[in-house]
Amino acid sequence: MLGAAMGAGFGLLAAAPVLAGPFEFAPSPQTDLNRVYRVDRATGEVGACQFQLKEGGVGLTVCFPSGEGAGPQTPSDYSLMPSRHEREGGIFRVNLRTGEMSICYVFDDKTVCTPQVK
């Protein structure tokens, strides 16, 4: 009986909905760039990280914090949308509620974004 109760409990856990995390990740569309962008889905804050070789070692993860225009925006529902342009190093930040967009990219060791427009 205890085994049946435990089995039912695990079944309920497995059936529970999985909540989406606060971040979304997407790669840069540029095919020879190993960069991944991150957006906070609620605030629109964008950052980026990439792999960098380290002489005589395993390598490093190098991250570029939010700079001009990439910091928190008006609370909403944000997403990332790469273009299909294989030489584009940036990515679009889209506001799914308002339809506004901006392009975000790495500049001077910071992730920056253009002003949002519709």
Side-chain angles (χ1 to χ4, degrees), residues 75-92:
S76 192
D77 187 10
Y78 294 91
S79 185
L80 294 173
M81 180 67 61
S83 71
R84 292 186 178 228
H85 193 284
E86 66 184 31
R87 306 265 318 156
E88 178 62 57
I91 196 163
F92 287 93

Side-chain angles (χ1 to χ4, degrees), residues 20-42:
F23 296 99
E24 181 178 317
F25 300 87
S28 167
Q30 187 173 336
T31 57
D32 62 348
L33 184 62
N34 62 4
R35 184 171 294 151
V36 174
Y37 288 91
R38 175 204 79 244
V39 67
D40 183 307
R41 294 167 45 124

Side-chain angles (χ1 to χ4, degrees), residues 30-74:
Q30 187 173 336
T31 57
D32 62 348
L33 184 62
N34 62 4
R35 184 171 294 151
V36 174
Y37 288 91
R38 175 204 79 244
V39 67
D40 183 307
R41 294 167 45 124
T43 69
E45 183 174 12
V46 178
C49 295
Q50 70 185 40
F51 172 75
Q52 183 175 330
L53 288 174
K54 179 181 170 186
E55 193 172 318
V58 174
L60 302 168
T61 302
V62 178
C63 292
F64 306 97
S66 300
E68 185 177 338
Q73 305 296 299
T74 303

Side-chain angles (χ1 to χ4, degrees), residues 45-47 64-73 93 105 107 109-113:
E45 183 174 12
V46 178
F64 306 97
S66 300
E68 185 177 338
Q73 305 296 299
R93 172 180 57 194
Y105 55 96
F107 181 73
D109 295 331
K110 298 271 190 208
T111 304
V112 298
C113 297

